[in-house]
Amino acid sequence: MSLAEILTRAPVIPVLVIDEVAHAIPLGRALVAGGLSVLEVTFRTPVAAACIEAMIAEVEGAVVGAGTVINGAMRQRAADLGCAFTVSPGLIAGERADGPVPLLPGIATPTELIAGLAAGFEVFKLFPANIVGGVGALKAFHSPFPQARFCPTGGVSAANAADYLALPNVVCVGGSWVAPAEAVRAGDWDRITRLAREAAALAQRPASPVEG
Ligand code: 3PG
């Protein structure tokens, strides 16, 4: 699956920080049951790789990716684990769009966007979206960079996701609000499915102009 196909499967990509392997499968199933099938498991905990493996093996319908990838070795590790995609908070020096697994790189400025386009990327994570200008920044980027598409992440929530998704250069948004840490700790999977269902109902452009 190409990155464009993955990013247009659902309007919201849950950004997951999982502390216990035992949470991975029920959390993944709860999100998929609510309609969010593209899951980003961040490499921020010691059990992240084990969680990714468990989700790939046991969560039917999930498209599992690795987040917080900050170098080429981590991208390769994600590919070896069987991830469908990877996400980075920034541009990784030397990494291009072609690689062992699709990569969604983060950018925060026009200079980074120019470097990312030169490396073959067409879709970028605007990060941290709400801090670096949010909806206004994406509107401003659209005229000089009509070929660039975005998945804004960082400070995106149920309250503002629709504003981002209404922009012509936004393919989806990312966020942790659909899997609150206290709900995961409490095993409140029904709450997570409800949050996922609300997020999945947000309008997403059906035919993304992004090339695969
Ligand atoms: C990320 O890495 O994308 C962010 O941690 C997610 O940001 P959020 O917690 O504000 O949704």
Side-chain angles (χ1 to χ4, degrees):
M1 227 184 302
S2 72
L3 187 59
E5 283 167 337
I6 292 168
L7 298 180
T8 49
R9 276 176 77 98
V12 178
I13 299 180
V15 177
L16 306 173
V17 182
I18 312 177
D19 292 312
E20 291 184 40
V21 182
H23 292 155
I25 294 169
L27 173 58
R29 286 182 178 156
L31 290 163
V32 172
L36 299 183
S37 60
V38 182
L39 310 177
E40 176 189 335
V41 179
T42 57
F43 274 137
R44 293 183 205 172
T45 67
V47 295
C51 292
I52 287 169
E53 284 179 323
M55 283 177 158
I56 290 172
E58 301 291 340
V59 183
E60 204 179 322
V63 177
V64 182
T68 323
V69 166
I70 59 168
N71 56 49
M74 291 173 79
R75 186 183 187 186
Q76 183 60 56
R77 171 105 174 96
D80 294 343
L81 288 167
C83 289
F85 66 102
T86 53
V87 184
S88 178
L91 276 183
I92 304 172
E95 291 299 306
R96 300 187 55 84
D98 289 341
V101 58
L103 170 64
L104 176 68
I107 65 100
T109 67
T111 303
E112 293 163 1
L113 191 45
I114 289 168
L117 290 166
F121 296 102
E122 294 173 332
V123 195
F124 301 88
K125 165 174 166 158
L126 180 74
F127 182 77
N130 277 17
I131 305 297
V132 300
V135 166
L138 290 166
K139 282 185 180 165
F141 285 168
H142 191 41
S143 181
F145 303 110
Q147 70 277 52
R149 296 291 177 271
F150 298 93
C151 170
T153 306
V156 182
S157 68
N160 61 13
D163 297 336
Y164 282 108
L165 288 163
L167 300 175
N169 53 354
V170 167
V171 289
C172 62
V173 301
S176 61
W177 87 91
V178 287
E182 72 278 6
V184 175
R185 264 197 308 274
D188 191 350
W189 312 123
D190 287 347
R191 179 178 168 208
I192 289 172
T193 295
R194 277 197 304 278
L195 288 168
R197 201 171 284 131
E198 285 165 19
L202 289 163
Q204 183 181 28
R205 281 162 199 277
S208 165
V210 177
E211 297 299 321

